[in-house]
Amino acid sequence: TQLLEQSPQFLSIQEGENLTVYCNSSSVFSSLQWYRQEPGEGPVLLVTVVTGGEVKKLKRLTFQFGDARKDSSLHITAAQTGDTGLYLCAGADLGYALNFGKGTSLLVTP
Amino acid sequence: EPEVTQTPSHQVTQMGQEVILRCVPISNHLYFYWYRQILGQKVEFLVSFYNNEISEKSEIFDDQFSVERPDGSNFTLKIRSTKLEDSAMYFCASMEGLGAFFGQGTRLTVV
């Protein structure tokens, strides 16, 4: 099983602050996906990164895939209370199981 | 927007009983998955299904579990004889290309 380590496990910040969360593995993945999960709901796909060094932006969220395709980061600019949630990364090889990290639980307070 | 739908949203069952969890994946997707998430823990892979057969399964997916795609739309997970430790959220997902789309889950409580 390919292990994905996410850090930090918990993060509490105030609205307007910037933050970065990390996803690291010793394994190489063909793609890496980021999801956001709210309590009692299923994970919602935010982005998939495929190419080493790739950077993708989704409004205030910036996702980066490491050059070696083993790690990734998610940076949120000017966090809002609506960003509160559990952020999950998952490594994937096409057709095979998504392997999830334990997630970073983000709380953005007013 | 197409979505994965799961029924029921909640299921309470007695230990030893059989349960069937149902999913309707996104229609043009080819890869289907079941995952589970025990309260407060990570999302765990159970099984993947492609071309009408299991393509991969985890250690959790033992003989008590089975999956079926009985028609062109439904994808089911059966637990033959439930145990207390089967209590969890069960998520169905489907994928075509990059990125999996998850249903809202079925909360299974075994008492």
PDB file of all heavy atoms in Angstrom, chain A residues 33-36 43-48, chain B residues 98-101:
ATOM      1  N   GLN A  33      -4.831  13.602  -6.716  1.00  0.00           N
ATOM      2  CA  GLN A  33      -6.083  14.341  -6.665  1.00  0.00           C
ATOM      3  C   GLN A  33      -6.276  14.960  -5.295  1.00  0.00           C
ATOM      4  O   GLN A  33      -5.857  14.401  -4.280  1.00  0.00           O
ATOM      5  CB  GLN A  33      -7.243  13.391  -6.978  1.00  0.00           C
ATOM      6  CG  GLN A  33      -7.101  12.750  -8.355  1.00  0.00           C
ATOM      7  CD  GLN A  33      -8.056  11.613  -8.594  1.00  0.00           C
ATOM      8  OE1 GLN A  33      -9.066  11.487  -7.907  1.00  0.00           O
ATOM      9  NE2 GLN A  33      -7.763  10.785  -9.578  1.00  0.00           N
ATOM     10  N   TRP A  34      -6.904  16.132  -5.283  1.00  0.00           N
ATOM     11  CA  TRP A  34      -7.285  16.789  -4.033  1.00  0.00           C
ATOM     12  C   TRP A  34      -8.804  16.823  -3.948  1.00  0.00           C
ATOM     13  O   TRP A  34      -9.497  17.123  -4.935  1.00  0.00           O
ATOM     14  CB  TRP A  34      -6.728  18.211  -3.984  1.00  0.00           C
ATOM     15  CG  TRP A  34      -5.274  18.279  -3.672  1.00  0.00           C
ATOM     16  CD1 TRP A  34      -4.235  18.316  -4.563  1.00  0.00           C
ATOM     17  CD2 TRP A  34      -4.670  18.343  -2.378  1.00  0.00           C
ATOM     18  NE1 TRP A  34      -3.036  18.375  -3.905  1.00  0.00           N
ATOM     19  CE2 TRP A  34      -3.276  18.407  -2.559  1.00  0.00           C
ATOM     20  CE3 TRP A  34      -5.179  18.349  -1.068  1.00  0.00           C
ATOM     21  CZ2 TRP A  34      -2.383  18.479  -1.485  1.00  0.00           C
ATOM     22  CZ3 TRP A  34      -4.286  18.430  -0.014  1.00  0.00           C
ATOM     23  CH2 TRP A  34      -2.910  18.486  -0.219  1.00  0.00           C
ATOM     24  N   TYR A  35      -9.294  16.494  -2.755  1.00  0.00           N
ATOM     25  CA  TYR A  35     -10.715  16.499  -2.480  1.00  0.00           C
ATOM     26  C   TYR A  35     -10.985  17.342  -1.239  1.00  0.00           C
ATOM     27  O   TYR A  35     -10.115  17.518  -0.380  1.00  0.00           O
ATOM     28  CB  TYR A  35     -11.218  15.075  -2.187  1.00  0.00           C
ATOM     29  CG  TYR A  35     -11.167  14.138  -3.368  1.00  0.00           C
ATOM     30  CD1 TYR A  35      -9.987  13.498  -3.712  1.00  0.00           C
ATOM     31  CD2 TYR A  35     -12.292  13.890  -4.139  1.00  0.00           C
ATOM     32  CE1 TYR A  35      -9.926  12.644  -4.792  1.00  0.00           C
ATOM     33  CE2 TYR A  35     -12.242  13.025  -5.221  1.00  0.00           C
ATOM     34  CZ  TYR A  35     -11.061  12.407  -5.536  1.00  0.00           C
ATOM     35  OH  TYR A  35     -11.008  11.552  -6.604  1.00  0.00           O
ATOM     36  N   ARG A  36     -12.224  17.823  -1.156  1.00  0.00           N
ATOM     37  CA  ARG A  36     -12.691  18.488   0.062  1.00  0.00           C
ATOM     38  C   ARG A  36     -13.903  17.709   0.550  1.00  0.00           C
ATOM     39  O   ARG A  36     -14.793  17.358  -0.247  1.00  0.00           O
ATOM     40  CB  ARG A  36     -13.058  19.932  -0.226  1.00  0.00           C
ATOM     41  CG  ARG A  36     -13.509  20.692   0.984  1.00  0.00           C
ATOM     42  CD  ARG A  36     -13.394  22.184   0.753  1.00  0.00           C
ATOM     43  NE  ARG A  36     -14.246  22.882   1.692  1.00  0.00           N
ATOM     44  CZ  ARG A  36     -15.416  23.420   1.391  1.00  0.00           C
ATOM     45  NH1 ARG A  36     -15.878  23.371   0.175  1.00  0.00           N
ATOM     46  NH2 ARG A  36     -16.126  24.018   2.323  1.00  0.00           N
ATOM     47  N   PRO A  43     -16.422  12.862  -0.404  1.00  0.00           N
ATOM     48  CA  PRO A  43     -15.377  13.759  -0.902  1.00  0.00           C
ATOM     49  C   PRO A  43     -15.783  14.367  -2.242  1.00  0.00           C
ATOM     50  O   PRO A  43     -16.368  13.691  -3.091  1.00  0.00           O
ATOM     51  CB  PRO A  43     -14.171  12.835  -1.075  1.00  0.00           C
ATOM     52  CG  PRO A  43     -14.452  11.647  -0.210  1.00  0.00           C
ATOM     53  CD  PRO A  43     -15.935  11.484  -0.226  1.00  0.00           C
ATOM     54  N   VAL A  44     -15.442  15.635  -2.422  1.00  0.00           N
ATOM     55  CA  VAL A  44     -15.734  16.344  -3.669  1.00  0.00           C
ATOM     56  C   VAL A  44     -14.415  16.669  -4.346  1.00  0.00           C
ATOM     57  O   VAL A  44     -13.536  17.289  -3.732  1.00  0.00           O
ATOM     58  CB  VAL A  44     -16.541  17.629  -3.407  1.00  0.00           C
ATOM     59  CG1 VAL A  44     -16.731  18.416  -4.701  1.00  0.00           C
ATOM     60  CG2 VAL A  44     -17.894  17.292  -2.790  1.00  0.00           C
ATOM     61  N   LEU A  45     -14.278  16.246  -5.579  1.00  0.00           N
ATOM     62  CA  LEU A  45     -13.036  16.454  -6.318  1.00  0.00           C
ATOM     63  C   LEU A  45     -12.788  17.938  -6.565  1.00  0.00           C
ATOM     64  O   LEU A  45     -13.652  18.656  -7.064  1.00  0.00           O
ATOM     65  CB  LEU A  45     -13.104  15.706  -7.656  1.00  0.00           C
ATOM     66  CG  LEU A  45     -11.899  15.817  -8.569  1.00  0.00           C
ATOM     67  CD1 LEU A  45     -10.677  15.138  -7.954  1.00  0.00           C
ATOM     68  CD2 LEU A  45     -12.207  15.218  -9.939  1.00  0.00           C
ATOM     69  N   LEU A  46     -11.592  18.396  -6.208  1.00  0.00           N
ATOM     70  CA  LEU A  46     -11.196  19.782  -6.478  1.00  0.00           C
ATOM     71  C   LEU A  46     -10.335  19.848  -7.738  1.00  0.00           C
ATOM     72  O   LEU A  46     -10.583  20.683  -8.616  1.00  0.00           O
ATOM     73  CB  LEU A  46     -10.400  20.343  -5.295  1.00  0.00           C
ATOM     74  CG  LEU A  46     -11.153  20.473  -3.965  1.00  0.00           C
ATOM     75  CD1 LEU A  46     -10.190  20.909  -2.859  1.00  0.00           C
ATOM     76  CD2 LEU A  46     -12.302  21.452  -4.102  1.00  0.00           C
ATOM     77  N   VAL A  47      -9.335  18.995  -7.800  1.00  0.00           N
ATOM     78  CA  VAL A  47      -8.396  19.075  -8.927  1.00  0.00           C
ATOM     79  C   VAL A  47      -7.649  17.753  -9.058  1.00  0.00           C
ATOM     80  O   VAL A  47      -7.523  16.995  -8.091  1.00  0.00           O
ATOM     81  CB  VAL A  47      -7.395  20.228  -8.691  1.00  0.00           C
ATOM     82  CG1 VAL A  47      -6.303  19.810  -7.710  1.00  0.00           C
ATOM     83  CG2 VAL A  47      -6.771  20.711  -9.981  1.00  0.00           C
ATOM     84  N   THR A  48      -7.167  17.493 -10.277  1.00  0.00           N
ATOM     85  CA  THR A  48      -6.250  16.383 -10.529  1.00  0.00           C
ATOM     86  C   THR A  48      -4.991  16.955 -11.150  1.00  0.00           C
ATOM     87  O   THR A  48      -5.077  17.748 -12.096  1.00  0.00           O
ATOM     88  CB  THR A  48      -6.872  15.359 -11.500  1.00  0.00           C
ATOM     89  OG1 THR A  48      -8.080  14.858 -10.934  1.00  0.00           O
ATOM     90  CG2 THR A  48      -5.918  14.202 -11.757  1.00  0.00           C
TER      91      THR A  48
ATOM     92  N   LEU B  98      -9.471  11.106 -15.470  1.00  0.00           N
ATOM     93  CA  LEU B  98      -8.833  11.505 -14.223  1.00  0.00           C
ATOM     94  C   LEU B  98      -9.861  12.087 -13.271  1.00  0.00           C
ATOM     95  O   LEU B  98     -10.645  12.929 -13.650  1.00  0.00           O
ATOM     96  CB  LEU B  98      -7.744  12.541 -14.517  1.00  0.00           C
ATOM     97  CG  LEU B  98      -6.631  12.046 -15.430  1.00  0.00           C
ATOM     98  CD1 LEU B  98      -5.704  13.177 -15.800  1.00  0.00           C
ATOM     99  CD2 LEU B  98      -5.860  10.921 -14.777  1.00  0.00           C
ATOM    100  N   GLY B  99      -9.845  11.648 -12.056  1.00  0.00           N
ATOM    101  CA  GLY B  99     -10.740  12.224 -11.067  1.00  0.00           C
ATOM    102  C   GLY B  99     -11.943  11.350 -10.790  1.00  0.00           C
ATOM    103  O   GLY B  99     -12.670  10.972 -11.698  1.00  0.00           O
ATOM    104  N   ALA B 100     -12.140  11.000  -9.523  1.00  0.00           N
ATOM    105  CA  ALA B 100     -13.280  10.161  -9.130  1.00  0.00           C
ATOM    106  C   ALA B 100     -14.372  11.036  -8.552  1.00  0.00           C
ATOM    107  O   ALA B 100     -14.109  12.034  -7.873  1.00  0.00           O
ATOM    108  CB  ALA B 100     -12.839   9.129  -8.096  1.00  0.00           C
ATOM    109  N   PHE B 101     -15.604  10.650  -8.828  1.00  0.00           N
ATOM    110  CA  PHE B 101     -16.760  11.382  -8.329  1.00  0.00           C
ATOM    111  C   PHE B 101     -17.481  10.487  -7.330  1.00  0.00           C
ATOM    112  O   PHE B 101     -17.835   9.352  -7.654  1.00  0.00           O
ATOM    113  CB  PHE B 101     -17.679  11.787  -9.485  1.00  0.00           C
ATOM    114  CG  PHE B 101     -17.027  12.791 -10.388  1.00  0.00           C
ATOM    115  CD1 PHE B 101     -16.187  12.379 -11.407  1.00  0.00           C
ATOM    116  CD2 PHE B 101     -17.209  14.148 -10.192  1.00  0.00           C
ATOM    117  CE1 PHE B 101     -15.552  13.302 -12.235  1.00  0.00           C
ATOM    118  CE2 PHE B 101     -16.588  15.082 -11.003  1.00  0.00           C
ATOM    119  CZ  PHE B 101     -15.757  14.659 -12.022  1.00  0.00           C
TER     120      PHE B 101
END
